[in-house]
mmCIF file of all heavy atoms in Angstrom:
data_model
loop_
_atom_site.group_PDB
_atom_site.id
_atom_site.type_symbol
_atom_site.label_atom_id
_atom_site.label_comp_id
_atom_site.label_asym_id
_atom_site.label_seq_id
_atom_site.Cartn_x
_atom_site.Cartn_y
_atom_site.Cartn_z
ATOM 1 N N MET A 223 0.844 -1.184 0.000
ATOM 2 C CA MET A 223 0.000 0.000 0.000
ATOM 3 C C MET A 223 0.886 1.243 0.000
ATOM 4 O O MET A 223 1.821 1.340 0.776
ATOM 5 C CB MET A 223 -0.896 -0.016 1.233
ATOM 6 C CG MET A 223 -1.809 1.142 1.332
ATOM 7 S SD MET A 223 -2.830 0.909 2.790
ATOM 8 C CE MET A 223 -3.889 2.249 2.646
ATOM 9 N N GLU A 224 0.587 2.157 -0.879
ATOM 10 C CA GLU A 224 1.380 3.385 -0.992
ATOM 11 C C GLU A 224 0.562 4.563 -0.477
ATOM 12 O O GLU A 224 -0.608 4.716 -0.822
ATOM 13 C CB GLU A 224 1.741 3.610 -2.452
ATOM 14 C CG GLU A 224 2.652 4.782 -2.666
ATOM 15 C CD GLU A 224 3.023 4.949 -4.133
ATOM 16 O OE1 GLU A 224 2.895 4.000 -4.916
ATOM 17 O OE2 GLU A 224 3.433 6.060 -4.488
ATOM 18 N N ILE A 225 1.175 5.386 0.326
ATOM 19 C CA ILE A 225 0.510 6.579 0.845
ATOM 20 C C ILE A 225 0.991 7.773 0.040
ATOM 21 O O ILE A 225 2.179 8.005 -0.095
ATOM 22 C CB ILE A 225 0.810 6.787 2.345
ATOM 23 C CG1 ILE A 225 0.270 5.596 3.136
ATOM 24 C CG2 ILE A 225 0.192 8.079 2.837
ATOM 25 C CD1 ILE A 225 0.621 5.629 4.604
ATOM 26 N N LYS A 226 0.029 8.513 -0.526
ATOM 27 C CA LYS A 226 0.364 9.686 -1.320
ATOM 28 C C LYS A 226 -0.226 10.923 -0.673
ATOM 29 O O LYS A 226 -1.248 10.862 0.000
ATOM 30 C CB LYS A 226 -0.200 9.557 -2.736
ATOM 31 C CG LYS A 226 0.420 8.447 -3.537
ATOM 32 C CD LYS A 226 -0.167 8.403 -4.922
ATOM 33 C CE LYS A 226 0.461 7.289 -5.738
ATOM 34 N NZ LYS A 226 -0.073 7.246 -7.089
ATOM 35 N N LYS A 227 0.402 12.043 -0.906
ATOM 36 C CA LYS A 227 -0.096 13.314 -0.417
ATOM 37 C C LYS A 227 -1.417 13.634 -1.098
ATOM 38 O O LYS A 227 -1.564 13.453 -2.304
ATOM 39 C CB LYS A 227 0.925 14.416 -0.705
ATOM 40 C CG LYS A 227 0.554 15.763 -0.136
ATOM 41 C CD LYS A 227 1.641 16.791 -0.409
ATOM 42 C CE LYS A 227 1.223 18.136 0.120
ATOM 43 N NZ LYS A 227 2.216 19.166 -0.166
ATOM 44 N N TYR A 228 -2.381 14.110 -0.327
ATOM 45 C CA TYR A 228 -3.692 14.465 -0.873
ATOM 46 C C TYR A 228 -3.542 15.644 -1.809
ATOM 47 O O TYR A 228 -2.871 16.612 -1.515
ATOM 48 C CB TYR A 228 -4.664 14.831 0.248
ATOM 49 C CG TYR A 228 -5.983 15.349 -0.254
ATOM 50 C CD1 TYR A 228 -6.934 14.489 -0.767
ATOM 51 C CD2 TYR A 228 -6.269 16.708 -0.240
ATOM 52 C CE1 TYR A 228 -8.142 14.945 -1.243
ATOM 53 C CE2 TYR A 228 -7.479 17.195 -0.716
ATOM 54 C CZ TYR A 228 -8.405 16.302 -1.216
ATOM 55 O OH TYR A 228 -9.603 16.771 -1.700
ATOM 56 N N LYS A 229 -4.176 15.547 -2.961
ATOM 57 C CA LYS A 229 -4.154 16.628 -3.936
ATOM 58 C C LYS A 229 -5.581 16.928 -4.349
ATOM 59 O O LYS A 229 -6.313 16.026 -4.762
ATOM 60 C CB LYS A 229 -3.323 16.241 -5.164
ATOM 61 C CG LYS A 229 -3.176 17.355 -6.160
ATOM 62 C CD LYS A 229 -2.300 16.966 -7.332
ATOM 63 C CE LYS A 229 -2.216 18.097 -8.302
ATOM 64 N NZ LYS A 229 -1.461 17.772 -9.485
ATOM 65 N N GLU A 230 -5.964 18.181 -4.223
ATOM 66 C CA GLU A 230 -7.308 18.609 -4.620
ATOM 67 C C GLU A 230 -7.503 18.321 -6.105
ATOM 68 O O GLU A 230 -6.639 18.618 -6.921
ATOM 69 C CB GLU A 230 -7.470 20.098 -4.339
ATOM 70 C CG GLU A 230 -8.815 20.657 -4.708
ATOM 71 C CD GLU A 230 -9.960 20.146 -3.874
ATOM 72 O OE1 GLU A 230 -9.782 19.988 -2.657
ATOM 73 O OE2 GLU A 230 -11.028 19.896 -4.443
ATOM 74 N N CYS A 231 -8.631 17.725 -6.467
ATOM 75 C CA CYS A 231 -8.846 17.326 -7.863
ATOM 76 C C CYS A 231 -9.257 18.496 -8.754
ATOM 77 O O CYS A 231 -9.268 18.368 -9.966
ATOM 78 C CB CYS A 231 -9.891 16.217 -7.947
ATOM 79 S SG CYS A 231 -11.511 16.699 -7.355
ATOM 80 N N ASN A 232 -9.556 19.639 -8.165
ATOM 81 C CA ASN A 232 -9.971 20.797 -8.953
ATOM 82 C C ASN A 232 -8.892 21.888 -8.955
ATOM 83 O O ASN A 232 -9.175 23.051 -9.136
ATOM 84 C CB ASN A 232 -11.294 21.339 -8.399
ATOM 85 C CG ASN A 232 -11.998 22.249 -9.382
ATOM 86 O OD1 ASN A 232 -11.883 22.078 -10.584
ATOM 87 N ND2 ASN A 232 -12.715 23.228 -8.870
ATOM 88 N N GLU A 233 -7.648 21.477 -8.762
ATOM 89 C CA GLU A 233 -6.535 22.431 -8.688
ATOM 90 C C GLU A 233 -5.984 22.728 -10.077
ATOM 91 O O GLU A 233 -5.724 21.821 -10.860
ATOM 92 C CB GLU A 233 -5.428 21.839 -7.816
ATOM 93 C CG GLU A 233 -4.223 22.715 -7.665
ATOM 94 C CD GLU A 233 -3.149 22.061 -6.816
ATOM 95 O OE1 GLU A 233 -3.439 21.133 -6.067
ATOM 96 O OE2 GLU A 233 -1.989 22.496 -6.932
ATOM 97 N N CYS A 234 -5.807 24.012 -10.379
ATOM 98 C CA CYS A 234 -5.242 24.432 -11.659
ATOM 99 C C CYS A 234 -3.809 23.923 -11.777
ATOM 100 O O CYS A 234 -3.008 24.103 -10.863
ATOM 101 C CB CYS A 234 -5.272 25.957 -11.775
ATOM 102 S SG CYS A 234 -4.506 26.581 -13.284
ATOM 103 N N VAL A 235 -3.488 23.283 -12.898
ATOM 104 C CA VAL A 235 -2.148 22.727 -13.080
ATOM 105 C C VAL A 235 -1.085 23.801 -13.291
ATOM 106 O O VAL A 235 0.101 23.539 -13.123
ATOM 107 C CB VAL A 235 -2.101 21.714 -14.248
ATOM 108 C CG1 VAL A 235 -2.963 20.515 -13.960
ATOM 109 C CG2 VAL A 235 -2.497 22.352 -15.557
ATOM 110 N N ILE A 236 -1.485 25.005 -13.637
ATOM 111 C CA ILE A 236 -0.525 26.083 -13.889
ATOM 112 C C ILE A 236 -0.338 26.963 -12.661
ATOM 113 O O ILE A 236 0.775 27.223 -12.239
ATOM 114 C CB ILE A 236 -0.948 26.925 -15.108
ATOM 115 C CG1 ILE A 236 -0.892 26.041 -16.364
ATOM 116 C CG2 ILE A 236 -0.054 28.156 -15.275
ATOM 117 C CD1 ILE A 236 -1.369 26.702 -17.624
ATOM 118 N N THR A 237 -1.445 27.427 -12.079
ATOM 119 C CA THR A 237 -1.362 28.372 -10.963
ATOM 120 C C THR A 237 -1.528 27.727 -9.596
ATOM 121 O O THR A 237 -1.176 28.319 -8.587
ATOM 122 C CB THR A 237 -2.430 29.469 -11.098
ATOM 123 O OG1 THR A 237 -3.725 28.848 -11.000
ATOM 124 C CG2 THR A 237 -2.304 30.215 -12.402
ATOM 125 N N GLY A 238 -2.108 26.535 -9.559
ATOM 126 C CA GLY A 238 -2.377 25.875 -8.284
ATOM 127 C C GLY A 238 -3.633 26.394 -7.590
ATOM 128 O O GLY A 238 -3.948 25.984 -6.487
ATOM 129 N N GLU A 239 -4.346 27.303 -8.250
ATOM 130 C CA GLU A 239 -5.559 27.877 -7.665
ATOM 131 C C GLU A 239 -6.684 26.843 -7.623
ATOM 132 O O GLU A 239 -6.807 26.011 -8.507
ATOM 133 C CB GLU A 239 -6.046 29.069 -8.490
ATOM 134 C CG GLU A 239 -5.129 30.252 -8.486
ATOM 135 C CD GLU A 239 -5.621 31.363 -9.395
ATOM 136 O OE1 GLU A 239 -6.119 31.072 -10.501
ATOM 137 O OE2 GLU A 239 -5.494 32.522 -8.983
ATOM 138 N N ILE A 240 -7.487 26.932 -6.578
ATOM 139 C CA ILE A 240 -8.670 26.100 -6.454
ATOM 140 C C ILE A 240 -9.850 27.046 -6.336
ATOM 141 O O ILE A 240 -10.024 27.708 -5.314
ATOM 142 C CB ILE A 240 -8.587 25.186 -5.217
ATOM 143 C CG1 ILE A 240 -7.358 24.291 -5.314
ATOM 144 C CG2 ILE A 240 -9.860 24.366 -5.076
ATOM 145 C CD1 ILE A 240 -7.043 23.527 -4.050
ATOM 146 N N THR A 241 -10.631 27.166 -7.406
ATOM 147 C CA THR A 241 -11.783 28.059 -7.412
ATOM 148 C C THR A 241 -12.981 27.337 -8.010
ATOM 149 O O THR A 241 -12.841 26.296 -8.653
ATOM 150 C CB THR A 241 -11.527 29.334 -8.246
ATOM 151 O OG1 THR A 241 -11.511 28.985 -9.629
ATOM 152 C CG2 THR A 241 -10.227 30.012 -7.881
ATOM 153 N N THR A 242 -14.150 27.908 -7.807
ATOM 154 C CA THR A 242 -15.358 27.343 -8.411
ATOM 155 C C THR A 242 -15.403 27.614 -9.908
ATOM 156 O O THR A 242 -16.205 27.015 -10.614
ATOM 157 C CB THR A 242 -16.617 27.933 -7.753
ATOM 158 O OG1 THR A 242 -16.583 29.361 -7.884
ATOM 159 C CG2 THR A 242 -16.696 27.553 -6.290
ATOM 160 N N GLU A 243 -14.538 28.487 -10.397
ATOM 161 C CA GLU A 243 -14.495 28.830 -11.824
ATOM 162 C C GLU A 243 -13.533 27.943 -12.616
ATOM 163 O O GLU A 243 -13.458 28.063 -13.841
ATOM 164 C CB GLU A 243 -14.107 30.292 -11.995
ATOM 165 C CG GLU A 243 -15.125 31.244 -11.403
ATOM 166 C CD GLU A 243 -14.668 32.688 -11.451
ATOM 167 O OE1 GLU A 243 -13.475 32.937 -11.696
ATOM 168 O OE2 GLU A 243 -15.511 33.564 -11.247
ATOM 169 N N ASN A 244 -12.782 27.080 -11.937
ATOM 170 C CA ASN A 244 -11.874 26.176 -12.640
ATOM 171 C C ASN A 244 -12.664 25.257 -13.549
ATOM 172 O O ASN A 244 -13.782 24.853 -13.232
ATOM 173 C CB ASN A 244 -11.074 25.337 -11.638
ATOM 174 C CG ASN A 244 -10.015 26.135 -10.938
ATOM 175 O OD1 ASN A 244 -9.976 27.345 -11.035
ATOM 176 N ND2 ASN A 244 -9.158 25.465 -10.197
ATOM 177 N N ARG A 245 -12.072 24.935 -14.698
ATOM 178 C CA ARG A 245 -12.726 24.066 -15.672
ATOM 179 C C ARG A 245 -11.819 22.891 -15.996
ATOM 180 O O ARG A 245 -10.603 23.027 -16.058
ATOM 181 C CB ARG A 245 -13.038 24.825 -16.963
ATOM 182 C CG ARG A 245 -13.988 25.973 -16.781
ATOM 183 C CD ARG A 245 -15.387 25.469 -16.494
ATOM 184 N NE ARG A 245 -16.299 26.565 -16.239
ATOM 185 C CZ ARG A 245 -16.830 26.836 -15.047
ATOM 186 N NH1 ARG A 245 -16.539 26.096 -14.012
ATOM 187 N NH2 ARG A 245 -17.658 27.843 -14.893
ATOM 188 N N LYS A 246 -12.439 21.736 -16.233
ATOM 189 C CA LYS A 246 -11.701 20.533 -16.584
ATOM 190 C C LYS A 246 -11.788 20.335 -18.086
ATOM 191 O O LYS A 246 -12.866 20.367 -18.671
ATOM 192 C CB LYS A 246 -12.288 19.326 -15.856
ATOM 193 C CG LYS A 246 -11.436 18.077 -15.977
ATOM 194 C CD LYS A 246 -12.027 16.923 -15.192
ATOM 195 C CE LYS A 246 -11.733 17.128 -13.722
ATOM 196 N NZ LYS A 246 -12.098 15.955 -12.919
ATOM 197 N N TYR A 247 -10.643 20.137 -18.720
ATOM 198 C CA TYR A 247 -10.552 19.962 -20.164
ATOM 199 C C TYR A 247 -10.107 18.533 -20.490
ATOM 200 O O TYR A 247 -10.056 17.691 -19.611
ATOM 201 C CB TYR A 247 -9.584 20.994 -20.758
ATOM 202 C CG TYR A 247 -10.058 22.414 -20.540
ATOM 203 C CD1 TYR A 247 -9.598 23.161 -19.460
ATOM 204 C CD2 TYR A 247 -10.973 23.001 -21.392
ATOM 205 C CE1 TYR A 247 -10.043 24.466 -19.242
ATOM 206 C CE2 TYR A 247 -11.427 24.305 -21.191
ATOM 207 C CZ TYR A 247 -10.952 25.023 -20.108
ATOM 208 O OH TYR A 247 -11.405 26.302 -19.908
ATOM 209 N N ALA A 248 -9.742 18.281 -21.723
ATOM 210 C CA ALA A 248 -9.322 16.958 -22.162
ATOM 211 C C ALA A 248 -8.188 16.425 -21.287
ATOM 212 O O ALA A 248 -7.347 17.186 -20.803
ATOM 213 C CB ALA A 248 -8.877 17.011 -23.619
ATOM 214 N N ASN A 249 -8.176 15.118 -21.105
ATOM 215 C CA ASN A 249 -7.159 14.437 -20.286
ATOM 216 C C ASN A 249 -7.112 14.954 -18.853
ATOM 217 O O ASN A 249 -6.061 14.992 -18.234
ATOM 218 C CB ASN A 249 -5.770 14.537 -20.925
ATOM 219 C CG ASN A 249 -5.699 13.825 -22.255
ATOM 220 O OD1 ASN A 249 -6.335 12.799 -22.439
ATOM 221 N ND2 ASN A 249 -4.952 14.378 -23.179
ATOM 222 N N ASN A 250 -8.273 15.402 -18.348
ATOM 223 C CA ASN A 250 -8.405 15.899 -16.968
ATOM 224 C C ASN A 250 -7.504 17.092 -16.667
ATOM 225 O O ASN A 250 -7.052 17.266 -15.542
ATOM 226 C CB ASN A 250 -8.163 14.771 -15.959
ATOM 227 C CG ASN A 250 -9.252 13.741 -16.015
ATOM 228 O OD1 ASN A 250 -10.420 14.073 -16.198
ATOM 229 N ND2 ASN A 250 -8.885 12.479 -15.862
ATOM 230 N N LEU A 251 -7.230 17.896 -17.664
ATOM 231 C CA LEU A 251 -6.459 19.121 -17.491
ATOM 232 C C LEU A 251 -7.365 20.159 -16.832
ATOM 233 O O LEU A 251 -8.387 20.540 -17.394
ATOM 234 C CB LEU A 251 -5.967 19.642 -18.843
ATOM 235 C CG LEU A 251 -5.241 20.980 -18.830
ATOM 236 C CD1 LEU A 251 -3.883 20.833 -18.157
ATOM 237 C CD2 LEU A 251 -5.074 21.495 -20.237
ATOM 238 N N VAL A 252 -7.002 20.609 -15.634
ATOM 239 C CA VAL A 252 -7.800 21.585 -14.905
ATOM 240 C C VAL A 252 -7.104 22.936 -14.972
ATOM 241 O O VAL A 252 -5.916 23.048 -14.666
ATOM 242 C CB VAL A 252 -7.993 21.161 -13.425
ATOM 243 C CG1 VAL A 252 -8.766 22.221 -12.664
ATOM 244 C CG2 VAL A 252 -8.701 19.822 -13.347
ATOM 245 N N LEU A 253 -7.858 23.960 -15.394
ATOM 246 C CA LEU A 253 -7.314 25.312 -15.499
ATOM 247 C C LEU A 253 -8.247 26.305 -14.824
ATOM 248 O O LEU A 253 -9.462 26.243 -14.989
ATOM 249 C CB LEU A 253 -7.146 25.722 -16.963
ATOM 250 C CG LEU A 253 -6.137 24.941 -17.787
ATOM 251 C CD1 LEU A 253 -6.226 25.350 -19.243
ATOM 252 C CD2 LEU A 253 -4.740 25.135 -17.258
ATOM 253 N N SER A 254 -7.640 27.228 -14.087
ATOM 254 C CA SER A 254 -8.390 28.358 -13.541
ATOM 255 C C SER A 254 -8.475 29.398 -14.649
ATOM 256 O O SER A 254 -7.763 29.295 -15.654
ATOM 257 C CB SER A 254 -7.653 28.932 -12.332
ATOM 258 O OG SER A 254 -6.404 29.484 -12.730
ATOM 259 N N PRO A 255 -9.320 30.415 -14.494
ATOM 260 C CA PRO A 255 -9.371 31.454 -15.525
ATOM 261 C C PRO A 255 -8.001 32.093 -15.786
ATOM 262 O O PRO A 255 -7.613 32.295 -16.941
ATOM 263 C CB PRO A 255 -10.363 32.466 -14.956
ATOM 264 C CG PRO A 255 -11.265 31.642 -14.105
ATOM 265 C CD PRO A 255 -10.360 30.611 -13.490
ATOM 266 N N SER A 256 -7.247 32.385 -14.739
ATOM 267 C CA SER A 256 -5.929 32.994 -14.947
ATOM 268 C C SER A 256 -4.946 31.979 -15.527
ATOM 269 O O SER A 256 -4.097 32.326 -16.349
ATOM 270 C CB SER A 256 -5.383 33.592 -13.655
ATOM 271 O OG SER A 256 -5.292 32.624 -12.639
ATOM 272 N N GLY A 257 -5.055 30.726 -15.143
ATOM 273 C CA GLY A 257 -4.207 29.674 -15.707
ATOM 274 C C GLY A 257 -4.490 29.468 -17.180
ATOM 275 O O GLY A 257 -3.580 29.263 -17.976
ATOM 276 N N ALA A 258 -5.778 29.541 -17.556
ATOM 277 C CA ALA A 258 -6.157 29.401 -18.964
ATOM 278 C C ALA A 258 -5.589 30.544 -19.791
ATOM 279 O O ALA A 258 -5.135 30.346 -20.913
ATOM 280 C CB ALA A 258 -7.680 29.354 -19.089
ATOM 281 N N GLU A 259 -5.587 31.741 -19.220
ATOM 282 C CA GLU A 259 -5.040 32.908 -19.923
ATOM 283 C C GLU A 259 -3.534 32.751 -20.134
ATOM 284 O O GLU A 259 -3.019 33.012 -21.224
ATOM 285 C CB GLU A 259 -5.328 34.178 -19.115
ATOM 286 C CG GLU A 259 -4.948 35.442 -19.834
ATOM 287 C CD GLU A 259 -5.354 36.692 -19.064
ATOM 288 O OE1 GLU A 259 -6.411 36.676 -18.404
ATOM 289 O OE2 GLU A 259 -4.601 37.673 -19.134
ATOM 290 N N ILE A 260 -2.833 32.300 -19.122
ATOM 291 C CA ILE A 260 -1.388 32.067 -19.228
ATOM 292 C C ILE A 260 -1.117 31.002 -20.295
ATOM 293 O O ILE A 260 -0.232 31.153 -21.144
ATOM 294 C CB ILE A 260 -0.802 31.631 -17.871
ATOM 295 C CG1 ILE A 260 -0.871 32.789 -16.872
ATOM 296 C CG2 ILE A 260 0.630 31.125 -18.013
ATOM 297 C CD1 ILE A 260 -0.616 32.384 -15.425
ATOM 298 N N PHE A 261 -1.878 29.920 -20.257
ATOM 299 C CA PHE A 261 -1.729 28.818 -21.207
ATOM 300 C C PHE A 261 -1.985 29.296 -22.635
ATOM 301 O O PHE A 261 -1.235 28.985 -23.560
ATOM 302 C CB PHE A 261 -2.683 27.692 -20.813
ATOM 303 C CG PHE A 261 -2.495 26.420 -21.575
ATOM 304 C CD1 PHE A 261 -1.282 25.757 -21.584
ATOM 305 C CD2 PHE A 261 -3.552 25.856 -22.261
ATOM 306 C CE1 PHE A 261 -1.112 24.568 -22.276
ATOM 307 C CE2 PHE A 261 -3.403 24.672 -22.964
ATOM 308 C CZ PHE A 261 -2.189 24.032 -22.965
ATOM 309 N N TYR A 262 -3.036 30.091 -22.827
ATOM 310 C CA TYR A 262 -3.380 30.619 -24.150
ATOM 311 C C TYR A 262 -2.254 31.499 -24.699
ATOM 312 O O TYR A 262 -1.862 31.373 -25.855
ATOM 313 C CB TYR A 262 -4.690 31.398 -24.074
ATOM 314 C CG TYR A 262 -5.039 32.096 -25.367
ATOM 315 C CD1 TYR A 262 -5.525 31.374 -26.450
ATOM 316 C CD2 TYR A 262 -4.871 33.468 -25.512
ATOM 317 C CE1 TYR A 262 -5.836 32.009 -27.644
ATOM 318 C CE2 TYR A 262 -5.181 34.105 -26.701
ATOM 319 C CZ TYR A 262 -5.660 33.374 -27.762
ATOM 320 O OH TYR A 262 -5.960 34.000 -28.941
ATOM 321 N N LYS A 263 -1.732 32.377 -23.857
ATOM 322 C CA LYS A 263 -0.647 33.265 -24.299
ATOM 323 C C LYS A 263 0.589 32.467 -24.684
ATOM 324 O O LYS A 263 1.270 32.787 -25.656
ATOM 325 C CB LYS A 263 -0.308 34.277 -23.202
ATOM 326 C CG LYS A 263 -1.346 35.357 -23.050
ATOM 327 C CD LYS A 263 -0.983 36.313 -21.944
ATOM 328 C CE LYS A 263 -2.056 37.378 -21.770
ATOM 329 N NZ LYS A 263 -1.750 38.282 -20.661
ATOM 330 N N GLU A 264 0.879 31.421 -23.925
ATOM 331 C CA GLU A 264 2.041 30.574 -24.215
ATOM 332 C C GLU A 264 1.879 29.897 -25.576
ATOM 333 O O GLU A 264 2.805 29.869 -26.386
ATOM 334 C CB GLU A 264 2.198 29.520 -23.111
ATOM 335 C CG GLU A 264 3.432 28.688 -23.228
ATOM 336 C CD GLU A 264 4.709 29.423 -22.868
ATOM 337 O OE1 GLU A 264 4.646 30.421 -22.137
ATOM 338 O OE2 GLU A 264 5.779 28.983 -23.326
ATOM 339 N N ILE A 265 0.697 29.358 -25.839
ATOM 340 C CA ILE A 265 0.433 28.710 -27.123
ATOM 341 C C ILE A 265 0.520 29.726 -28.261
ATOM 342 O O ILE A 265 1.097 29.453 -29.314
ATOM 343 C CB ILE A 265 -0.948 28.029 -27.115
ATOM 344 C CG1 ILE A 265 -0.919 26.830 -26.179
ATOM 345 C CG2 ILE A 265 -1.364 27.592 -28.515
ATOM 346 C CD1 ILE A 265 -2.264 26.201 -25.930
ATOM 347 N N LYS A 266 -0.045 30.899 -28.046
ATOM 348 C CA LYS A 266 -0.036 31.946 -29.063
ATOM 349 C C LYS A 266 1.398 32.363 -29.392
ATOM 350 O O LYS A 266 1.757 32.527 -30.564
ATOM 351 C CB LYS A 266 -0.826 33.137 -28.536
ATOM 352 C CG LYS A 266 -1.136 34.198 -29.540
ATOM 353 C CD LYS A 266 -2.036 35.247 -28.905
ATOM 354 C CE LYS A 266 -2.238 36.423 -29.801
ATOM 355 N NZ LYS A 266 -3.035 37.469 -29.161
ATOM 356 N N ASP A 267 2.249 32.505 -28.375
ATOM 357 C CA ASP A 267 3.650 32.874 -28.588
ATOM 358 C C ASP A 267 4.404 31.775 -29.331
ATOM 359 O O ASP A 267 5.224 32.063 -30.200
ATOM 360 C CB ASP A 267 4.340 33.164 -27.250
ATOM 361 C CG ASP A 267 3.844 34.446 -26.605
ATOM 362 O OD1 ASP A 267 3.205 35.271 -27.301
ATOM 363 O OD2 ASP A 267 4.093 34.625 -25.394
ATOM 364 N N LYS A 268 4.122 30.508 -29.003
ATOM 365 C CA LYS A 268 4.787 29.397 -29.695
ATOM 366 C C LYS A 268 4.373 29.353 -31.159
ATOM 367 O O LYS A 268 5.182 29.071 -32.025
ATOM 368 C CB LYS A 268 4.456 28.058 -29.019
ATOM 369 C CG LYS A 268 4.947 27.925 -27.611
ATOM 370 C CD LYS A 268 6.436 27.777 -27.556
ATOM 371 C CE LYS A 268 6.858 27.583 -26.117
ATOM 372 N NZ LYS A 268 8.259 27.697 -25.892
ATOM 373 N N LYS A 269 3.100 29.644 -31.426
ATOM 374 C CA LYS A 269 2.615 29.643 -32.798
ATOM 375 C C LYS A 269 3.328 30.708 -33.621
ATOM 376 O O LYS A 269 3.737 30.472 -34.759
ATOM 377 C CB LYS A 269 1.108 29.890 -32.821
ATOM 378 C CG LYS A 269 0.508 29.815 -34.197
ATOM 379 C CD LYS A 269 -0.987 30.042 -34.172
ATOM 380 C CE LYS A 269 -1.542 30.039 -35.575
ATOM 381 N NZ LYS A 269 -2.954 30.397 -35.614
ATOM 382 N N LYS A 270 3.527 31.895 -33.029
ATOM 383 C CA LYS A 270 4.242 32.984 -33.723
ATOM 384 C C LYS A 270 5.673 32.557 -34.037
ATOM 385 O O LYS A 270 6.210 32.870 -35.098
ATOM 386 C CB LYS A 270 4.266 34.237 -32.869
ATOM 387 C CG LYS A 270 2.945 34.966 -32.843
ATOM 388 C CD LYS A 270 3.054 36.215 -31.984
ATOM 389 C CE LYS A 270 1.721 36.910 -31.853
ATOM 390 N NZ LYS A 270 1.809 38.078 -30.962
ATOM 391 N N ALA A 271 6.318 31.844 -33.129
ATOM 392 C CA ALA A 271 7.690 31.401 -33.328
ATOM 393 C C ALA A 271 7.780 30.436 -34.515
ATOM 394 O O ALA A 271 8.738 30.463 -35.286
ATOM 395 C CB ALA A 271 8.234 30.735 -32.067
ATOM 396 N N PHE A 272 6.777 29.557 -34.656
ATOM 397 C CA PHE A 272 6.781 28.608 -35.756
ATOM 398 C C PHE A 272 6.497 29.281 -37.093
ATOM 399 O O PHE A 272 6.970 28.853 -38.133
ATOM 400 C CB PHE A 272 5.741 27.505 -35.523
ATOM 401 C CG PHE A 272 6.184 26.459 -34.529
ATOM 402 C CD1 PHE A 272 5.471 26.255 -33.369
ATOM 403 C CD2 PHE A 272 7.313 25.698 -34.775
ATOM 404 C CE1 PHE A 272 5.869 25.304 -32.458
ATOM 405 C CE2 PHE A 272 7.729 24.744 -33.868
ATOM 406 C CZ PHE A 272 7.009 24.542 -32.701
ATOM 407 N N GLU A 273 5.710 30.342 -37.075
ATOM 408 C CA GLU A 273 5.351 31.027 -38.314
ATOM 409 C C GLU A 273 6.478 31.917 -38.831
ATOM 410 O O GLU A 273 6.514 32.253 -39.997
ATOM 411 C CB GLU A 273 4.086 31.877 -38.092
ATOM 412 C CG GLU A 273 2.850 31.024 -37.893
ATOM 413 C CD GLU A 273 1.623 31.855 -37.553
ATOM 414 O OE1 GLU A 273 1.745 33.059 -37.286
ATOM 415 O OE2 GLU A 273 0.524 31.266 -37.541
ATOM 416 N N SER A 274 7.397 32.293 -37.970
ATOM 417 C CA SER A 274 8.490 33.188 -38.376
ATOM 418 C C SER A 274 9.543 32.481 -39.172
ATOM 419 O O SER A 274 9.756 31.363 -39.165
ATOM 420 C CB SER A 274 9.144 33.812 -37.137
ATOM 421 O OG SER A 274 8.193 34.578 -36.454
#
């Protein structure tokens, strides 16, 4: 039997925030509104790098 530290299942993977506004996406990816914004900006910046 393995004992693991308890982890809230609604915790944002980017910011660690636990709010009622967090949303679960594909593959159980949980993002808070601010985490989603950070994630979106990161993807947008990577896309620009590939297009250059």
Side-chain angles (χ1 to χ4, degrees):
M223 180 177 185
E224 185 178 341
I225 298 175
K226 294 181 180 181
K227 185 178 178 182
Y228 174 76
K229 184 177 179 183
E230 180 67 39
C231 62
N232 197 31
E233 180 181 341
C234 177
V235 296
I236 295 176
T237 64
E239 294 176 320
I240 301 170
T241 72
T242 57
E243 296 174 346
N244 287 11
R245 298 289 177 250
K246 190 178 283 189
Y247 298 95
N249 296 325
N250 292 322
L251 175 70
V252 177
L253 295 173
S254 65
S256 58
E259 187 175 325
I260 292 167
F261 189 58
Y262 174 75
K263 286 179 182 177
E264 186 73 23
I265 291 172
K266 191 175 173 184
D267 290 344
K268 296 288 183 192
K269 184 179 177 186
K270 284 181 184 177
F272 283 119
E273 290 175 350
S274 298

